[in-house]
Amino acid sequence: MVRSSRQRERERVGTDENTEETEQDEKEACPECESTSLVASADGGELVCDDCGLVIEEGTIDRGPEWRAFDHSERQQKSRVGAPTTQTMHDKGLTTTIDWKDKDAYGRSISSKKRSQMHRLRRWQERIRTKDAGERNLQFALSEIDRMASALGVPRSVREVASVIYRRALDDDLIRGRSIEGVATAALYAACRQEDIPRSLEEVSDVSRVEQKEIGRTYRYISQELGLKMEPVDPKKYVPRFCSSLELSEEVQTKANEIIDVTAEQGLLSGKSPTGYAAAAIYAASLLCNEKKTQREVADVAQVTEVTIRNRYQEQIEAMGI
């Protein structure tokens, strides 16, 4: 009984101390302006008030490396860690690779016998990286995503998101009965929409080995099964890219965004293709700004038909009262 009472007393004292420390952390404020928005610097050496800029705490601990580097190549040579993990590789980049250079640690060329031995080691190392058919399929799918993303010119963040979406579909067994290329293309299309870097289905299908109808069907299936929250694409996201391809000025781009805003408020955007809507707004803006482009030129860039541009154009100029 005495021992259990002491244990309860220690637990109570420890709880009180933790509560006091939490209250002190919550009450910590700037002595100058009494603001509680305190920000630590990137290296963790200083605690600065975000409102008045007062340095509250200043440490002298340097958390960086002990060596100096003046360019990227020198920094890479002195670094003692590898590359960060990535979802774009089937093993997340954690396996080792044998360098293709036939040189030793001192940069000297190796003998022909060693060269043939290293060639065999490289071949076996590539074979054992994938231990079963599932990993080989994943490796093929991620390489397809990387190839299509490079062709579309999207940043690396989109490739990472697309790889995560494909892995989730693989874990939920959504690929059974569907082609690997189709699911990979649908994952890339979904990642573009999530990262606000829209690419139309026509653009994605041009770099894919799958038909557009199958891409759309697979995209709707995986987005529903995985619960991906996809907002409607804003036509203004396409305007800068289309204007750049057509070599139009900033004035045309601003006018096209204005046309889209005014007409969308009147409900004309509902049920319309965002690429066709943006193309029609650019065509109307080019006429208003005396930088005329033909409907054929705009249609080729936006990958829509001239009929679509004419129909959207008539609706927009009537809504604008032009």
Side-chain angles (χ1 to χ4, degrees), residues 228-268:
L228 304 178
K229 296 181 180 179
M230 297 293 180
E231 297 181 356
V233 180
D234 189 358
K236 292 193 294 184
K237 300 285 185 181
Y238 293 100
V239 172
R241 185 156 56 92
F242 291 168
C243 287
S244 176
S245 300
L246 292 168
E247 297 181 354
L248 294 172
S249 63
E250 194 75 23
E251 181 183 2
V252 176
Q253 182 175 332
T254 305
K255 190 66 176 178
N257 288 330
E258 180 184 346
I259 293 173
I260 292 174
D261 288 334
V262 173
T263 56
E265 289 178 357
Q266 301 181 22
L268 296 181

Side-chain angles (χ1 to χ4, degrees), residues 145-183:
I145 290 175
D146 192 63
R147 180 189 64 81
M148 292 184 292
S150 299
L152 290 173
V154 295
R156 187 165 186 83
S157 60
V158 176
R159 307 181 192 190
E160 293 281 349
V161 174
S163 301
V164 171
I165 293 175
Y166 185 86
R167 288 175 183 271
R168 289 181 58 191
L170 184 63
D171 293 339
D172 292 350
D173 200 19
L174 303 181
I175 305 179
R176 187 181 299 274
R178 292 171 178 81
S179 65
I180 297 176
E181 295 94 335
V183 179

Side-chain angles (χ1 to χ4, degrees), residues 60-79:
T60 58
I61 300 176
D62 185 6
R63 302 182 186 276
E66 78 283 0
W67 42 261
R68 294 191 304 169
F70 301 98
D71 55 16
H72 179 70
S73 60
E74 188 177 358
R75 189 176 298 108
Q76 290 292 102
Q77 290 176 357
K78 292 186 176 182
S79 178

Side-chain angles (χ1 to χ4, degrees), residues 265-279:
E265 289 178 357
Q266 301 181 22
L268 296 181
L269 181 57
S270 178
K272 305 296 192 306
S273 170
T275 53
Y277 204 85

Side-chain angles (χ1 to χ4, degrees), residues 100-105 107-120 122:
W100 59 271
K101 298 178 182 179
D102 293 326
K103 296 183 179 180
D104 59 8
R108 296 175 299 195
S109 298
I110 59 178
S111 62
S112 59
K113 183 178 179 180
K114 286 288 185 182
R115 195 177 298 118
S116 60
Q117 182 183 2
M118 295 303 296
H119 179 70
R120 289 195 301 271
R122 287 193 203 98

